[in-house]
Each structure stands twice: as C-alpha cells, then as structure tokens.
Amino acid sequence: MEETYSTSYSMEELTSVVVYLAKRYTSNESNSISYDMARHFMMAASYCIQEYEDWYFEDDYAGDDENRGDGCKHSIQNSQKIDVLEAYKKGYNLLLIKGKRLNKLYETMLSTFDSYGVRIYEDVFRRGIPGFIKKYDAIYSPHETILTMDYPTIMSLNDKTGMDAIYDYLRFIYIEQQFLKMFSREYVIGYLETYSPAYKGLFINPCEVLLEQVLPSMLSDEDDEGIAADETAGGQAKEGIAEENSLTMKLTRKEYESGLSNMLRLLIANRRLKNDNVSVDEYTNYLGACIKNIAAYIYKGDNE
Amino acid sequence: MEMGDFLKTINTKNEVVAIEKTNDYTRLYGLSLSEEDCQIILKDKIDTLKNEERFEFGQSIIPKLIFTFCDSAYIYQENYVETIGRLVEIFYLYKNESMDLVNDEELIDIMKGYFEDICQGSLDYLEDTCLEDFARDMRRDGRVFLGGEYGRDI
C-alpha cells in the first residue's frame, strides 16, 4: 500500500498536519506518538488534502485541459498552493459535506430499497452502510473504508478508500435500484431464479444477472417479453451491426459489445422512469461495465 | 524518502538550550548539566525514539523529567546524566507498553512515585518490575483511575 495519497505537498509539508492531528488526538497531553500512529495521521492528512485538490481541479479548472489529468497536481505552482493546514481543513470540510450527501442519499433509498432476496445485498445496505455512517471518523481516519463491500457492484471502485469509496458504492447501488425498478419485481425474481434456484445465498449482482439474460435476447430477436418497447429503434440497432458484417454474418467481439451497448441504451431510454434522477449516461457508464463480459460470453458461444 | 526514514530525521532544535536552562532550578539540589552532558542526554533520547519507533512533536520530555526527578534523594551529580538518560529510555518504553493509555504527566508521576517509594532509587527495579506490572494492568483493564494505587498519590 502507498504511504500517502497523491497530493502536491511533500511529506515534510504534511508533517505540520500530522503534528496538528497528534496534538488534537492526545489533547496536548503527550509529546509523542508511535510511528504507526504518525503514519496513520499522514494518510489522514494526505487523504483530506487530496479531497481538496480533487475538488479544486474539478471545479475551478473545468474545461481547461492543460490543468487537468493525473499529473496536474504535481505541477501546481508555489504561488497557487495554499498553506498545507488550510488545504487540510478545506478537504476535511469537503469530506463532511460528502458525508451529509451520503446520509441524504441513504435516507432517500431506505424506504424503497429492494434486495430481491439476495442476502449479501440486504446485509450491505441494511447493516453495512449504517455501520459505516456510525463509525466513520473524518478527523483521524478519513481514509479508512471500514465496510468490506462484499456485495459486488458492476463497476469497481479502483483504489478509492474511505468516504469516497463508500459514496461511490452507494451511488452504484442507487443506480442499480433505479434500473431494477424499470422491471416488475416478479420479473426480476424470475430471472434470478432462472440463474440459480439458490440465488439468495450467492454473491451476485441482480442487475448483472438480469442484463446477462435480457441484452442477448434483445440482440437475437428473442425479445418475447417486450423489453425493447421501441421495436423500430431496436431493429435499427441490430441492422447496423448486421450491415457491418454482411459478408461473414459472424460478429466479432467488438461488434457484440457495440450492439449490446446500443441495446442497453435503448432499454434504458424506453423504460426510464419519469422521476428518475439518474442520467442515461450514468446508467450506461455504470451498467455498461458488464457488457464486455456478456459480449465475451456470447462470442465464445458462437465460436464453439 | 520513506515515511519511516523521514520521521527518524526529525530533529529537536534548541533542545540543548532548553535542557541547559533547567540548571537554573536544579542547582538548588546540587545538580547541573554541561553542554556536553546535554548532548549526551539528547543523543540517548534520539536513539530511544528510534528504537521505540516514536515520533516526538511537542516540547521535549527531558526538562519535564528533570524538573520532576531533580529533588530525589537518589539522584546526585555523579549519577545525574546516566539517570536522566535511563529515565528517558524507560519513559518511552512504557509509553508504548501502556499503549499510550496514560499521558506524559501521569506516566512521569507514576515513575517518580515508584522510584522514590518501592524502588528506592533502583532504575532496574522500576523498569523491570514496577512499570511492567503497571503496563500489564493498563493493557488488561484499559484506562483506569490512576490515583493512589500506582506509585505515590498523584
């Protein structure tokens, strides 16, 4: 694991935040802390500063390509840099705001959340997330994720930790819930039972299971459930793929991916609820993360 | 630079001056430190911090130890430097052993209580027996009221 999160401040500069945290932690009653604790505070300091710098580059430099990207933080001019303690405090405040947003999102979801009987889904949402909200320590351990996130979301959280990871995790679950509501409960459970009669105890993602079965059937005209309400548009999407491969009629994996992506976009556009506050792009970005796997699965089936 | 290495290089500026200043008070008890003595004590402290893997950020602990122990009947000029060096070592060892459950002043008071009373000036007995028991109690029972039971009344 890295020793600190990536910021434009050096380790020497971060030490003043470590000292600030150590004094606060010991209530000024101790003059030393263990190396382990110092490392922990160094992580906490760099995490909050990274939060501030991420926000700074997202908001203040939006659209300015020269100042965006991974390496940009390290090219901050000294004149642009604020005092390290100030940066830490700003980052900490941003973290608190994110915490409030997380709380609000959770409360919004609480009354309508449906795990469709998948136990791990229920556990993570009903016990895991509240446990995180209760135990999260934004001052001394903002970088600790606490929750093991056993429920497999479609998109991975990469290297995110702490509040950032849990916020994204909950947001993914929110997108999934909105998507699943596009179908009737019986319909989703029917697909899950087809996948495995013992699906309740499995570590599965209901959205992924549903998409694995729905998208290929849309693509191969077996859409007898009427999922793609707009047949014309669905037909056009399929024709597009067929034209590209009119000679062989055997699709490549990439073509499958593109076809399935079109189907997904179509499915969402047709079934999206009116009060849905997830954009089509958000849906396709998130749910589309499983399309490669589905395409590979179909492609393998075609070539066997 | 690795973070561990960085923490080890933290130096304690002006600490020698702060230690030398304690002479103004300790002379009342016939104790004083030369600049060379201060350097020796400081070097011992830095070595101890490295060995015990501790990062010092506040004011030096040495003057606090000196002010607390200088009135002891068991400390005299000939063993002064060596005793302070050992006390620093014992202090940081038991900060770790007690899992930081006691603050600096409490630990120093407990050390002083044992040193004067049951240890009768023996640093070995203080380190290996009295504080060992104390730290074990701390680890077992967690943070407890420290009055009376440990060392002298604090």
Side-chain angles (χ1 to χ4, degrees):
Chain A
M1 195 175 180
E2 278 182 41
E3 297 222 319
T4 60
Y5 292 88
S6 164
T7 71
S8 61
Y9 295 89
S10 67
M11 221 172 256
E12 285 87 339
E13 288 171 305
L14 289 175
T15 309
S16 57
V17 183
V18 174
V19 170
Y20 167 80
L21 287 173
K23 282 183 177 171
R24 192 171 168 165
Y25 183 74
T26 61
S27 310
N28 262 326
E29 289 182 342
S30 285
N31 86 329
S32 63
I33 50 171
S34 64
Y35 276 8
D36 283 344
M37 192 59 86
R39 282 190 199 102
H40 189 85
F41 289 158
M42 189 70 93
M43 293 290 278
S46 58
Y47 185 85
C48 285
I49 292 171
Q50 191 188 51
E51 194 72 24
Y52 163 69
E53 290 187 341
D54 285 349
W55 167 84
Y56 182 81
F57 280 98
E58 265 174 32
D59 287 5
D60 290 6
Y61 288 89
D64 184 354
D65 288 338
E66 279 182 15
N67 285 303
R68 291 178 76 84
D70 281 338
C72 62
K73 273 189 219 167
H74 305 286
S75 64
I76 294 178
Q77 300 298 311
N78 283 335
S79 57
Q80 285 179 286
K81 270 169 78 170
I82 58 169
D83 176 61
V84 66
L85 205 56
E86 199 185 332
Y88 163 77
K89 285 178 180 171
K90 280 177 189 276
Y92 169 72
N93 285 330
L94 286 166
L95 216 54
L96 294 185
I97 293 167
K98 199 172 242 184
K100 282 181 187 166
R101 282 168 61 199
L102 178 89
N103 238 330
K104 203 175 168 189
L105 181 62
Y106 184 74
E107 279 170 15
T108 311
M109 294 168 70
L110 205 54
S111 56
T112 55
F113 176 82
D114 191 350
S115 64
Y116 298 90
V118 179
R119 274 196 289 276
I120 188 67
Y121 205 11
E122 183 78 13
D123 269 5
V124 161
F125 186 79
R126 302 270 180 216
R127 295 198 198 117
I129 304 285
F132 171 82
I133 292 169
K134 198 175 163 188
K135 289 184 179 171
Y136 185 69
D137 182 352
I139 303 171
Y140 303 117
S141 307
H143 56 290
E144 284 194 348
T145 311
I146 306 170
L147 192 61
T148 50
M149 297 189 283
D150 292 330
Y151 169 71
T153 48
I154 295 175
M155 203 184 257
S156 78
L157 291 158
N158 297 323
D159 294 332
K160 285 188 176 177
T161 59
M163 179 66 78
D164 286 340
I166 300 299
Y167 185 80
D168 283 1
Y169 192 61
L170 191 63
R171 183 76 193 161
F172 290 164
I173 293 175
Y174 178 72
I175 295 172
E176 287 180 4
Q177 286 291 308
Q178 295 297 101
F179 175 72
L180 289 167
K181 280 196 199 94
M182 296 176 191
F183 308 89
S184 71
R185 192 167 195 276
E186 294 69 33
Y187 187 83
V188 176
I189 289 177
Y191 265 116
L192 291 170
E193 277 172 347
T194 311
Y195 177 79
S196 167
Y199 79 91
K200 288 181 180 176
L202 299 179
F203 281 53
I204 50 163
N205 184 303
C207 278
E208 200 167 356
V209 171
L210 192 73
L211 289 171
E212 270 171 17
Q213 299 178 63
V214 167
L215 292 181
S217 68
M218 284 172 73
L219 200 61
S220 59
D221 273 335
E222 291 167 12
D223 184 16
D224 52 0
E225 306 280 351
I227 295 161
D230 188 345
E231 290 293 342
T232 323
Q236 281 171 356
K238 285 172 221 165
E239 277 166 24
I241 301 163
E243 276 168 21
E244 282 173 25
N245 244 300
S246 54
L247 291 175
T248 59
M249 286 310 285
K250 226 177 189 184
L251 304 183
T252 64
R253 197 184 299 189
K254 284 271 173 211
E255 285 161 347
Y256 272 126
E257 279 175 27
S258 131
L260 290 169
S261 297
N262 289 339
M263 289 298 150
L264 177 64
R265 195 167 273 275
L266 187 70
L267 183 69
I268 291 161
N270 287 336
R271 292 194 155 241
R272 211 165 151 240
L273 301 172
K274 277 179 186 167
N275 58 351
D276 196 344
N277 52 10
V278 181
S279 70
V280 175
D281 281 344
E282 271 184 290
Y283 275 124
T284 47
N285 282 343
Y286 176 67
L287 299 171
C290 67
I291 277 182
K292 271 192 175 182
N293 285 344
I294 302 173
Y297 183 72
I298 304 172
Y299 180 76
K300 196 182 165 200
D302 268 7
N303 287 284
E304 272 179 1
Chain B
M1 190 189 284
E2 296 281 309
M3 178 142 46
D5 296 338
F6 173 65
L7 293 176
K8 284 173 200 165
T9 62
I10 302 287
N11 58 12
T12 43
K13 287 176 187 172
N14 303 325
E15 203 171 340
V16 174
V17 180
I19 300 169
E20 274 186 319
K21 271 189 180 171
T22 62
N23 287 337
D24 299 342
Y25 179 73
T26 59
R27 279 201 187 96
L28 293 171
Y29 302 96
L31 302 169
S32 67
L33 296 166
S34 65
E35 195 185 332
E36 193 187 341
D37 293 337
C38 296
Q39 296 283 5
I40 291 168
I41 293 172
L42 196 57
K43 189 183 170 300
D44 283 353
K45 188 196 78 171
I46 292 166
D47 289 345
T48 304
L49 283 170
K50 281 181 189 171
N51 292 339
E52 296 299 330
E53 300 210 326
R54 290 193 71 86
F55 167 56
E56 191 178 56
F57 55 87
Q59 285 189 332
S60 172
I61 201 68
I62 297 170
K64 280 184 189 169
L65 283 167
I66 290 174
F67 286 130
T68 308
F69 281 83
C70 67
D71 64 349
S72 170
Y74 302 104
I75 299 176
Y76 38 91
Q77 185 60 43
E78 283 70 26
N79 72 356
Y80 187 35
V81 178
E82 189 195 343
T83 305
I84 296 299
R86 280 292 304 279
L87 286 171
V88 170
E89 197 182 314
I90 294 169
F91 173 81
Y92 282 117
L93 171 67
Y94 281 96
K95 277 298 276 187
N96 277 345
E97 290 294 311
S98 62
M99 302 195 304
D100 285 288
L101 289 170
V102 277
N103 67 38
D104 291 355
E105 279 189 26
E106 283 171 336
L107 184 56
I108 291 172
D109 278 343
I110 286 161
M111 285 167 66
K112 178 73 190 302
Y114 281 136
F115 185 75
E116 291 295 314
D117 187 11
I118 195 165
C119 301
Q120 297 194 11
S122 167
L123 289 165
D124 289 339
Y125 194 66
L126 174 70
E127 182 178 352
D128 298 335
T129 307
C130 298
L131 289 175
E132 179 68 43
D133 288 347
F134 164 74
R136 196 181 303 120
D137 287 353
M138 273 287 145
R139 292 193 296 266
R140 188 189 59 221
D141 302 331
R143 184 76 169 82
V144 291
F145 175 62
L146 296 171
E149 191 183 344
Y150 297 102
R152 62 175 182 171
D153 286 342
I154 53 172

